[in-house]
Each structure stands twice: as C-alpha cells, then as structure tokens.
Amino acid sequence: MAPTSPTDGEKKIDDRLADVERVSQDVILSAEKTDILQLEHTDPVLNAKMHLVNNAIDEIGFTGYQIKLFILNGFGYAVDSLILLIQSIIAGQAALEFNPSFSRGLTIAAYVGMLVGALFWGLTADIIGRKFAFNFSLMICSIFAIVAGSSPNWIVLGVFVALSAFGGGGNLVLDTAVFLEFLPSKDQWLLTLMAAWWGIGQLIAGLFAWAFIPRFSCSDPTVVPDAAPCTYSNNKGWRYVWFASGALVFIMSIARITIIRLKETPKFLVGEGRDEECVETLQFIAKKYNRPCSLTIEDMRACGSIYSSRRDSGAHAKSRFSFGEVGVHLKGLYSTRRIGISTSLIWFSWTLIGLAYPLYNVFLPSYLESRGAEFGETSAYITWRNYTLVNTCGIFGPVLAGYMCATRLGRKYTMVVGALVTMAFFFAYTQVRSQAQNLAFTCVVNFCLNIYYGTLYAYTPEVLPSAHRGTGNGIAIGWNRVMGIMSAVVATFADTKTPVPIYICAALYVVMAAVAAVFPFEPYGRRSS
C-alpha cells in the first residue's frame, strides 16, 4: 500500500481542526442569541459570518433607516393588493364596453403576470441582488398601469394588466427579504405588521372605485333596459381608476429611489463573499445614526472563506444566467432534511391559501343568492362604500398578528389561531341573509384572514436560507398565483350555487392550521439566517 503523501495528511489534520473549531464555535454561540438555521451546518463559515452580521445589526439597533424601509417596502405590499383588486373592480365596466367572449380574462391575466413576476424577481434577487428589483419593479408596474387606462380593447387591456402585474408581482418577494435583512432580531415581529400595507392597498383600491366608478360609468343594460350603449365617452370611470392607481404607484417608485438610496443588504453581500462591502454598509448606517458597530473586516476574515468551505462556487453556478443557477438555489432550499421539510410545507401552505381565498370570493355571492340572501337595493355608491369599509378592516388583522407574534404564541401558533378563527367565520357566513349581516361578516372574515396571511408572509422569508431566500419566496408566492388562475377557470365552468366549495374552502383552513403547527422552525426568540 502506498504511503500517504504529506499533502493528504496535512489536509486531514486541517479538516479535523476545522471540525473541532466548528464544535467549539457552536458551544460558544449556544450561550448567545440563536440564529434560526445555525444548527443546520450547511456551511459553518457562512453560519459564523451570518452570526457576526446579526450581532452587528442588533448592536446598531432600530434606526430611521428601518423606519424608511418599513414605509417604502410597505409600498410594494400595497401595490400588490392594489393591482389585483383594481383589475377585479374594473372588469365588469370594461366588459360592458368591450363585450369580451371570456369575462374572467383579466383575472387570469393579472395572476399570470403576478406568477411570472414572482419567479423572475425572486430569482433575480438571488442572482444579482435585492437592490435592482427594489428600485425598478414598481416603476415597471406604474408605467403599464397608466397605459392600461388607455386600452382600446379587451385583449390589449389584458396584456397591460399582465405587464403591470409582472412589475408588481415581485414586490412581496423582495419587500419582506430587504426589510428582514436589515432588522434587529428584537424587531423581526415588524415583518408581520408590515402586512397591514396589504390592507392599505385594498383600501386605496376601494377609495378609487368609490370616487370614479359611480360617477363616470355607463349603466348595465341587463339592469337598466333603456340604458345607452357603453362607449369610451360615457364609461371612463374604470379608466380613471387605472390612471389614478398608476400615478400613485409612479410616485411610490420615485420615492423608493430618492428617499433611501438603498444599499445592498448585508446578508446578500455575505453570501456573495463581499465581506468588505457588508462591513461598509453596516458601518455607514451606524455612523449616519450615531450608533455603535464593532464589526470589522478582520472579524469577518477570521471566519474563513465561504468559497474554500464549499465544493461549488458559493451560492451560484459557474454561469449565473443558466438553468444550473436555478438548480443551485433549489438545492440550497433542500440542503438539509429540516430545511427541505420547512420549504415544502411553506410552499404547500401558499398553495392552500391561494386556492381557498379566491374560491371563497368567487363562490360565496352566488351561493348566498341561491339560498335567499336579501341584501336589498343598493346604489353603486353604497356598494363601493361598503367595499371600502371591508378593506379598512383588513388593515388591522396584521396589527393584531404582529402583537401575537411577539408573544409566546410565536409565528406558528399565530397562524394556527388565525386559520381556525377564519374557518369558523367562513362556516357561519353561509347563514348570512341580509345586507347588514353581509357587511359585518365580510369585515370580520377580512380581519381574521389577514392574521394568518400576514404572518405567513413574514414567516416565509424568516426561515429560508439567505442565499436562496428570493428563490424560495418567489416559488411560494408563485404557487399562490397558480391557484388564483385555477380559481378563475373553476368559477367560469363550475356550478357556483352549490354549498360544497364553501365548505371545502373552510376545511382548507383547518389543513392550513395543522400545517402551521408542524412547521419545523419557530422564529420567535431567534434571528433569521
């Protein structure tokens, strides 16, 4: 047998010393604040550096920088809900003007745009960084939203709706990741509270509809037999809604670029091996807000190199713009058994909520009508006023969820409570028989639903590995959009007057609660990795 070469022997000794050092480091870190994925050991060097970065962020604390991020990232949440609701609000009036053969085409267009946007911007975030999408996604959304108001026919309108949704579809992927990666650990519950912006977006959609549609819309000939035909000149309300929404989103996009001048997130930079830029970013924030930050480049270098600790080239394939790059990020989401289980359960939860909520909105009105619900004669003004009230209630669900997440309930059991309470009101809603009952139950359901929804939005990026956070988050939201497309197809061809879909939707929330209870990671009291 040939003798072992000195090089091989030295390598074995170095590997053993690295193992000893890693164990020693784990013992030290176990006495300090725990990072969520710290014990997964996917990359000891990266874990050590993430721990130092988390220590630095905690040392700096909560500053005006995070306040700006809360508002500017919240714009993305608001725009996502705004675009989805605007297309549903204006679809009826636009259809009266264009007489389409497929009335739910705009819904499918919006969800297709959101699906492609979530996947595109999610992968972009992991490949070239969070900053690019943060600066440009809202700009793209605003341009096509404004142009949508000038659409000459149904097909062109659908194209512009899809393109606008593509720009806005990545915001839920990026906004949570960007905000999370600058947050001190004690303030991570604010990620749940940020979902209140989703309700604000819905409220804005309702206000625009309330302001323009009753005053600048033609009448439906099936309701008013002697109504004049709907044309461009007498049916501009839905166009004004698009113009106003696009202008607002444009202002938001300009604010993102000018107010904060976002720096790349420290955790993305660490995963890239750009330690100097990471330290510079944290030192910049500390200096600007007169806070301490003891992290140095020497501290980071002392941990070693993430590239020498892996067989592959860090968190990327040899060519970043290739299918191999996608494979690297997918593999990273299943790098250990627990991370893989967590990823799968998160995607399953997004699939469930993506199916349950749209179907509920689609089937419930027809079901109630078939069971004799008498809502009375209401004007368009009253209809959109009630719509605005309902969406206002949705703002406060994430506020309660944020408080619950900061208690021992944690994220997991906040979702369990939110899902079960929503399920109970879904079942009760089938007994609604009057306008007042309809308004009250709709408000309560919207409030309770956003407890679960807002927490799931926050939980998803918290437990995903930083280097693959955009991809994992994008695919999760992508599954949600796929189910939205399915709901539109089902609503077109299925019998909407049977009670079965309503009970199925309610039962799905029981499944969501069960899934939340068995999530392998609980972020309460821990720090995102």
Side-chain angles (χ1 to χ4, degrees):
M1 180 177 178
T4 305
S5 66
T7 302
D8 292 337
E10 290 173 1
K11 184 176 183 300
K12 290 181 178 179
I13 292 173
D14 289 342
D15 288 343
R16 290 183 179 180
L17 288 175
D19 289 339
V20 172
E21 183 180 357
R22 185 177 66 189
V23 173
S24 299
Q25 188 179 40
D26 289 343
V27 173
I28 294 172
L29 296 183
S30 65
E32 304 176 5
K33 292 182 178 179
T34 305
D35 299 337
I36 293 173
L37 303 182
Q38 172 182 303
L39 301 180
E40 295 304 303
H41 297 310
T42 53
D43 186 330
V45 173
L46 182 60
N47 283 345
K49 290 188 176 185
M50 285 293 181
H51 193 81
L52 291 178
V53 170
N54 277 333
N55 286 345
I57 293 173
D58 283 348
E59 184 181 11
I60 296 171
F62 193 82
T63 68
Y65 196 80
Q66 283 84 3
I67 294 175
K68 291 179 181 178
L69 282 177
F70 180 83
I71 296 172
L72 296 176
N73 285 339
F75 287 169
Y77 263 78
V79 168
D80 183 275
S81 61
L82 175 68
I83 295 301
L84 281 177
L85 279 184
I86 288 299
Q87 65 80 22
S88 65
I89 287 171
I90 65 92
Q93 287 302 134
L96 290 176
E97 182 177 336
F98 297 136
N99 298 310
S101 58
F102 188 63
S103 61
R104 299 190 187 275
L106 292 190
T107 300
I108 293 179
Y111 274 107
V112 167
M114 289 284 181
L115 169 62
V116 177
L119 297 176
F120 175 82
W121 295 112
L123 281 169
T124 300
D126 286 340
I127 295 173
I128 62 175
R130 283 57 160 147
K131 183 178 178 180
F132 175 81
F134 179 86
N135 286 335
F136 292 103
S137 59
L138 283 188
M139 182 71 71
I140 294 171
C141 178
S142 66
I143 292 172
F144 287 110
I146 293 173
V147 174
S150 302
S151 299
N153 57 58
W154 186 256
I155 294 176
V156 172
L157 176 59
V159 170
F160 287 138
V161 167
L163 290 171
S164 179
F166 166 78
N171 283 287
L172 290 184
V173 181
L174 267 299
D175 293 329
T176 51
V178 169
F179 189 48
L180 174 66
E181 293 182 5
F182 281 104
L183 267 181
S185 58
K186 66 180 180 63
D187 300 307
Q188 282 182 199
W189 64 273
L190 287 171
L191 201 62
T192 301
L193 179 61
M194 196 167 74
W197 283 96
W198 172 272
I200 293 174
Q202 292 177 320
L203 173 61
I204 293 172
L207 289 172
F208 283 157
W210 190 10
F212 295 119
I213 290 181
R215 298 174 58 194
F216 303 102
S217 298
C218 62
S219 300
D220 185 349
T222 62
V223 178
V224 183
D226 59 345
C230 286
T231 63
Y232 175 87
S233 59
N234 68 358
N235 193 37
K236 292 183 179 180
W238 69 268
R239 298 180 186 272
Y240 293 155
V241 171
W242 273 119
F243 292 149
S245 300
L248 178 62
V249 177
F250 183 76
I251 293 171
M252 291 177 175
S253 68
I254 296 299
R256 277 192 168 190
I257 298 173
T258 57
I259 291 178
I260 199 167
R261 297 182 181 274
L262 181 75
K263 292 182 175 292
E264 192 56 79
T265 67
K267 292 183 179 180
F268 175 79
L269 294 172
V270 170
E272 294 285 290
R274 295 153 63 182
D275 293 346
E276 290 187 8
E277 293 179 58
C278 171
V279 174
E280 287 175 4
T281 296
L282 292 171
Q283 291 288 357
F284 168 81
I285 295 173
K287 182 178 180 180
K288 182 175 182 178
Y289 295 97
N290 195 26
R291 299 294 179 87
C293 180
S294 57
L295 181 66
T296 65
I297 186 60
E298 288 75 19
D299 295 332
M300 299 292 282
R301 288 173 178 168
C303 297
S305 170
I306 61 173
Y307 296 112
S308 62
S309 69
R310 306 178 186 177
R311 292 183 178 179
D312 58 10
S313 299
H316 301 285
K318 291 182 179 180
S319 174
R320 293 199 181 192
F321 300 97
S322 65
F323 288 109
E325 176 74 9
V326 178
V328 167
H329 291 299
L330 290 175
K331 183 179 178 182
L333 294 169
Y334 287 86
S335 53
T336 69
R337 183 174 178 271
R338 291 185 75 207
I339 291 176
I341 292 173
S342 176
T343 298
S344 297
L345 290 178
I346 286 172
W347 290 351
F348 183 51
S349 296
W350 278 98
T351 303
L352 291 174
I353 188 69
L355 179 62
Y357 189 56
L359 280 180
Y360 156 76
N361 281 330
V362 166
F363 280 99
L364 190 65
S366 296
Y367 170 76
L368 292 177
E369 182 181 355
S370 69
R371 292 298 185 274
E374 296 293 339
F375 296 154
E377 291 294 331
T378 59
S379 65
Y381 178 88
I382 296 297
T383 298
W384 295 114
R385 183 207 66 182
N386 291 350
Y387 191 85
T388 303
L389 291 174
V390 168
N391 289 323
T392 301
C393 293
I395 297 174
F396 299 100
V399 176
L400 177 59
Y403 171 78
M404 294 168 67
C405 285
T407 68
R408 291 191 177 276
L409 278 174
R411 277 61 158 174
K412 290 168 57 174
Y413 290 101
T414 297
M415 283 187 276
V416 171
V417 171
L420 292 179
V421 173
T422 303
M423 176 272 298
F425 280 101
F426 266 11
F427 277 122
Y429 205 162
T430 60
Q431 303 305 311
V432 166
R433 294 294 182 271
S434 70
Q435 180 184 337
Q437 292 173 350
N438 179 55
L439 178 61
F441 270 85
T442 306
C443 287
V444 173
V445 167
N446 217 27
F447 174 86
C448 295
L449 173 64
N450 280 354
I451 295 176
Y452 175 86
Y453 226 155
T455 309
L456 182 63
Y457 273 123
Y459 178 87
T460 299
E462 279 190 291
V463 300
L464 291 173
S466 176
H468 316 292
R469 183 168 285 142
T471 301
N473 211 2
I475 293 175
I477 296 174
W479 279 115
N480 181 273
R481 307 312 190 195
V482 169
M483 293 300 105
I485 296 170
M486 286 185 59
S487 69
V489 175
V490 170
T492 301
F493 299 104
D495 181 5
T496 59
K497 296 183 178 181
T498 172
V500 175
I502 304 298
Y503 293 121
I504 291 176
C505 289
L508 286 174
Y509 279 89
V510 179
V511 180
M512 292 179 215
V515 172
V518 298
F519 279 144
F521 299 111
E522 170 52 65
Y524 174 72
R526 298 185 177 184
R527 309 186 298 190
S528 66
S529 296

